[in-house]
Amino acid sequence: MKKTIFYHIKILHEFCEIFRCSFIDLIFPNFNLTKIIVHKKYQFYVMVLFMLFAIHPSLHSQAISGAAVQANFGIDADVYANKEQFLVPPTVSGIYDDWFFNSAFANGTGQNVIDQTNAAGLKTSIQANNNFTFEKRMSKPKNTMVGNFLWIDAVYGRDGNSTQSNSDSNTFSGNSNKNGDNPTTWALGSGSIPQKDDIVDVYGYLRRDLSPAALAVNPNGILWGYGGASKISSDGNSHFDFEFFRTEVSFNGSALVGTGSQAGHTAWTFDATGKILVPGDVLVAIDFENGGTKPLGSVRVWMSSADIANFNSRPDRPFDLTGVFDQGNGAPPYGYAEIKAKGGGILTNVFAVVNVTAATLGPPWGTLEGSQANFQDNYKALQFTEFGLNLTALGLDSRNVNQSPCSNLLGSLIVKTRSSSSFTAELKDFSGPYLFGNITDVAVEGNVSNPLTCNNPTATLTATPTPPNATIKWYGPSPDGIADGPFIPGNAPVVSVKGVYTVYAYTNLEGCFAKKTVTVLENKEPPNVNAGEDKALTCLITSIKLSGSSSTPNATYLWSTLDGNIVSGGTTLTPTIDKAGTYTLTVTDPINGCKKADDVVVTSTPPTPINITCPEDNIKSSCFYADQAAVNTAFDAFKQSFTASGGNGTLTITGLENLTPPALCGGTVTVNYNVTDSCGLQKSCSATFTITAPAAVSAEAPTSVNASACAYADQAALDAAFEAFKAGFKVSGGCDAKGEIQGSPTAPKLCNGGTVTVTYKVT
């Protein structure tokens, strides 16, 4: 037996040398033997070749279930909600979701997961250009809860084709591109591919079943992945790979960019117990042969060969390995390891179906088929392939293990075709990459419309979440700047209290949120204002400028009064006023609109009365004065005794000018004293300076005495009588008139008798 096997291998090697292939190429077929003209002597060996190929362990696809409804989504090879054309038996349920919606079917509760807007416009573009490509996303925002199901992400892509003179811009352009290769080694670019491998439509969808039944199985529900694809050819043989990268992959026209750092992928890594440390890339291979009646599938993960040993004995492993591990160019130590559900297979966890028995309505914008890429509304029989995958059951729901609730479920999707059902067969066409399941970590930015000021006593809080449909909740103000304050309803609340506010953005993923704090500032500092010192109006000061001040930059000013009067400058710091009253200066800060006022009081001071002093009338006899000079001196003194005080401003005095003193011999001068001040007050008085003339000088002589000597007792009596006689001479009038007896007359002798004449001189 050993010889036989060795002999066949040797012959096969010879066969390969003849046809310039390698032994590995025979074991992992990547060329089409139907293209080789085989000499009769080698026909036996060709038969042996196919026998070996049929039993080679590279063909590890497993039997999977067919059409089904899982998590309320139809995996049934038709693309419309509420209609399950290829279930057994077919139904029109009116309740199941699918890729699209058409009112021609049951107008039920089932919904379309792909956005159908502008279907008519897209149809027109496709009919005008059968190589027109485009992408559509989910009909609802990512992570939208619909009933019991979380719609995570969905994508539809129309791929280019290479029929007629068309060139498909996304193809495997070399001859050695395999699934197990490092993607950076793939030869990619525009080109032509066989019709049986030429992709037309691709579909992808993720949903989480959060129904009570699903939550009873897993506290995070059950994650389902769905895919679909169509080809130009409807030959019934389909070999699709749905490859899910954890990164955001892009295609630059000749290479995939950003596929990952572990041999062009993100590798699954585990701790010693099998617990996932990093979830990596996943590939779902779906194969239909024999007219699409035998669905086969395998699920694979990118991992290091170092993790394979004893993997199935690790207690916390997420899945089991089947033992199949494929590596290609530039990949070691990494490769794709086939998995199955922990402790079981994939039969009840992977469902796939082809529209075997009949055509089915295609996308709302139509599809393409045949060597001419003819436009048609329907998928022809055997043209459309669809599958569903219980990712939770297969241990691929990283939400259950070592990741945060906001981590990516997947990242990017590339749909590929192979030349045969062998996992290592040559890759032909690809569509994508499409962002898929790349949950952008929820983030949020909070904004405050303005600080709180006197002009704007309220502020509006707004949030910009990522994703845009995230739920927003506001709290605040914080009591201490750390803890959240009370809940504030509304996505854009209006607040009037300064402080720290917190905004949360939640996705529909349990526990996935982001938060940011914003600070509402307050600037209600009043401006500086001083209306100045109180002032007074007088009869002399009838208007004044007030002297307000403020140190607030660029402030505005406004004076007001209820009982005064502002003449001018009411919007300056120094207005002119002309009436007593209370004046208010209001200063406004242009930055915050705050105002502050201060008052100044302007009083009206009554005028000071004029006080004058007038002398008593001066009435004196001219005899009072020695001479005219004395009169003049006395008159000057009389005038100076007129005095004035008080009043307002300059006193103007009249009545003292041009006065002539009276004559010594008599006369009167009246002084009319008048005082006027600057305010027009007036006061006056009058007084007279009078000199009276004396009475005329009058001499009085005694009566002459003619008596007998006998009348006198003696000479002494005569002498006494004579003296009495002389004493009878008197003078009156004049100014201190005086009389004087001239000489020394003596009395006559009593005995002799005689007459004595007395002369009395008046001066």
Side-chain angles (χ1 to χ4, degrees):
M1 183 68 180
K2 290 181 180 178
K3 284 185 177 181
T4 304
I5 294 175
F6 178 79
Y7 178 78
H8 287 314
I9 293 174
K10 183 177 180 181
I11 295 300
L12 289 172
H13 179 70
E14 180 183 355
F15 179 87
C16 289
E17 284 185 343
I18 293 171
F19 294 104
R20 296 184 180 180
C21 63
S22 69
F23 178 70
I24 298 299
D25 290 330
L26 291 174
I27 303 304
F28 302 95
N30 59 6
F31 63 90
N32 194 337
L33 287 175
T34 61
K35 295 181 179 179
I36 300 173
I37 301 174
V38 182
H39 194 277
K40 287 185 178 180
K41 68 178 276 190
Y42 294 108
Q43 288 179 354
F44 168 75
Y45 303 114
V46 173
M47 292 174 61
V48 173
L49 170 67
F50 281 114
M51 290 172 64
L52 289 174
F53 176 71
I55 64 173
H56 193 272
S58 69
L59 299 179
H60 287 287
S61 294
Q62 305 174 56
I64 56 179
S65 300
V69 173
Q70 296 294 336
N72 208 63
F73 186 91
I75 311 165
D76 54 347
D78 79 70
V79 295
Y80 283 90
N82 304 309
K83 171 180 175 286
E84 296 75 50
Q85 183 175 349
F86 298 103
L87 282 185
V88 180
T91 67
V92 180
S93 65
I95 59 173
Y96 298 135
D97 301 327
D98 215 316
W99 303 107
F100 303 112
F101 177 86
N102 190 314
S103 59
F105 306 123
N107 191 10
T109 59
Q111 300 184 51
N112 55 296
V113 299
I114 298 298
D115 175 23
Q116 297 177 209
T117 58
N118 193 35
L122 292 172
K123 185 174 183 178
T124 299
S125 297
I126 294 167
Q127 290 174 326
N129 173 14
N130 64 4
N131 210 17
F132 176 72
T133 61
F134 62 94
E135 177 182 335
K136 298 289 281 185
R137 302 303 306 189
M138 193 162 66
S139 60
K140 302 183 187 301
K142 286 183 179 181
N143 301 307
T144 296
M145 198 71 190
V146 181
N148 289 326
F149 304 98
L150 178 65
W151 293 27
I152 298 172
D153 197 6
V155 65
Y156 164 89
R158 169 57 61 86
D159 192 45
N161 64 81
S162 60
T163 61
Q164 299 173 293
S165 60
N166 289 341
S167 178
D168 191 334
S169 60
N170 294 27
T171 69
F172 291 89
S173 56
N175 294 320
S176 60
N177 304 294
K178 309 290 182 64
N179 271 326
D181 295 343
N182 182 331
T184 62
T185 68
W186 288 340
L188 306 176
S190 299
S192 177
I193 59 249
Q195 293 177 29
K196 72 184 186 67
D197 302 314
D198 201 346
I199 299 170
V200 178
D201 304 303
V202 296
Y203 302 77
Y205 175 46
L206 283 174
R207 83 163 35 179
R208 187 176 294 278
D209 184 353
L210 296 172
S211 65
L215 293 173
V217 174
N218 188 296
N220 291 318
I222 297 175
L223 180 65
W224 280 88
Y226 307 92
S230 69
K231 303 182 304 174
I232 285 284
S233 170
S234 56
D235 63 357
N237 295 320
S238 300
H239 310 291
F240 286 106
D241 297 316
F242 290 78
E243 192 162 18
F244 302 96
F245 291 84
R246 294 283 174 177
T247 55
E248 294 187 8
V249 181
S250 60
F251 178 52
N252 64 11
S254 61
L256 295 175
V257 179
T259 56
S261 58
Q262 285 83 43
H265 286 280
T266 300
W268 290 73
T269 59
F270 312 89
D271 67 11
T273 70
K275 182 181 295 183
I276 300 170
L277 297 177
V278 177
D281 294 352
V282 177
L283 188 149
V284 180
I286 300 295
D287 295 281
F288 287 91
E289 291 191 330
N290 299 322
T293 59
K294 294 181 179 179
L296 297 174
S298 65
V299 181
R300 303 180 185 237
V301 297
W302 190 258
M303 61 186 293
S304 172
S305 58
D307 285 324
I308 293 176
N310 301 317
F311 185 86
N312 287 356
S313 64
R314 300 183 189 184
D316 296 327
R317 67 191 185 281
F319 39 69
D320 285 343
L321 302 182
T322 68
V324 178
F325 184 74
D326 290 292
Q327 292 177 313
N329 292 333
Y334 300 100
Y336 265 125
E338 188 181 54
I339 68 168
K340 61 182 179 179
K342 187 175 179 180
I346 68 171
L347 184 63
T348 58
N349 301 311
V350 180
F351 302 82
V353 63
V354 172
N355 62 324
V356 175
T357 59
T360 188
L361 183 62
W365 37 81
T367 188
L368 306 173
E369 193 275 336
S371 61
Q372 306 300 309
N374 294 321
F375 176 85
Q376 57 185 32
D377 289 319
N378 294 335
Y379 287 128
K380 285 189 175 181
L382 303 175
Q383 190 181 2
F384 179 64
T385 301
E386 188 173 31
F387 77 90
L389 193 69
N390 185 332
L391 294 169
T392 300
L394 290 170
L396 301 176
D397 182 1
S398 61
R399 187 73 60 220
N400 293 336
V401 286
N402 247 8
Q403 285 197 303
S404 76
C406 295
S407 299
N408 279 356
L409 287 176
L410 293 174
S412 301
L413 167 64
I414 295 178
V415 180
K416 304 174 296 185
T417 55
R418 282 172 279 114
S419 60
S420 74
S421 60
S422 171
F423 183 74
T424 57
E426 184 178 332
L427 299 174
K428 294 297 185 180
D429 193 13
F430 75 94
S431 182
Y434 302 101
L435 292 179
F436 183 69
N438 63 318
I439 299 169
T440 302
D441 285 352
V442 63
V444 66
E445 290 296 330
N447 300 286
V448 182
S449 61
N450 53 268
L452 301 179
T453 65
C454 297
N455 272 348
N456 296 297
T458 62
T460 300
L461 306 179
T462 56
T464 305
T466 302
N469 64 320
T471 299
I472 296 299
K473 291 185 179 180
W474 282 97
Y475 299 85
S478 169
D480 55 8
I482 301 173
D484 295 340
F487 172 70
I488 311 172
N491 282 355
V494 176
V495 299
S496 58
V497 179
K498 69 178 181 179
V500 176
Y501 290 79
T502 304
V503 60
Y504 286 81
Y506 298 89
T507 69
N508 287 324
L509 299 176
E510 183 68 28
C512 180
F513 68 89
K515 76 172 184 176
K516 275 291 180 67
T517 59
V518 297
T519 301
V520 176
L521 301 175
E522 183 176 83
N523 179 6
K524 293 185 178 179
E525 183 69 25
N528 171 265
V529 60
N530 186 344
E533 297 295 326
D534 291 346
K535 295 182 179 293
L537 294 171
T538 67
C539 60
L540 295 178
I541 305 172
T542 57
S543 67
I544 55 175
K545 280 191 173 184
L546 302 181
S547 53
S549 63
S550 175
S551 60
T552 301
N554 302 315
T556 59
Y557 318 110
L558 181 65
W559 288 91
S560 59
T561 181
L562 294 176
D563 50 358
N565 182 59
I566 299 170
V567 177
S568 62
T571 57
T572 70
L573 287 171
T574 55
T576 298
I577 60 96
D578 64 358
K579 184 180 178 183
T582 299
Y583 293 84
T584 301
L585 171 60
T586 300
V587 175
T588 302
D589 186 336
I591 301 299
N592 60 16
C594 294
K595 302 175 186 291
K596 191 174 182 182
D598 189 33
D599 292 339
V600 62
V601 176
V602 177
T603 57
S604 180
T605 303
T608 302
I610 298 173
N611 297 315
I612 62 175
T613 301
C614 290
E616 296 291 332
D617 290 342
N618 183 79
I619 303 174
K620 289 187 173 57
S621 169
S622 58
C623 300
F624 182 77
Y625 302 100
D627 50 27
Q628 185 63 45
V631 171
N632 293 346
T633 299
F635 186 70
D636 286 340
F638 175 77
K639 289 193 297 179
Q640 291 174 7
S641 65
F642 285 88
T643 62
S645 63
N648 304 272
T650 302
L651 297 179
T652 300
I653 300 173
T654 60
L656 297 180
E657 64 279 3
N658 302 319
L659 295 177
T660 301
L664 178 64
C665 293
T668 298
V669 176
T670 300
V671 177
N672 295 311
Y673 189 70
N674 185 66
V675 179
T676 304
D677 66 9
S678 298
C679 293
L681 297 182
Q682 188 175 23
K683 198 165 187 180
S684 61
C685 65
S686 63
T688 59
F689 188 94
T690 302
I691 296 178
T692 59
V697 177
S698 173
E700 181 180 350
T703 303
S704 297
V705 175
N706 187 6
S708 166
C710 293
Y712 302 99
D714 49 27
Q715 186 62 42
L718 176 61
D719 288 339
F722 184 74
E723 288 301 323
F725 174 77
K726 288 192 298 182
F729 283 89
K730 295 181 181 179
V731 64
S732 63
C735 296
D736 193 22
K738 295 180 180 178
E740 183 179 41
I741 296 173
Q742 297 296 308
S744 302
T746 60
K749 298 300 186 179
L750 183 60
C751 294
N752 298 329
T755 300
V756 178
T757 300
V758 178
T759 302
Y760 187 73
K761 183 179 180 180
V762 178
T763 58

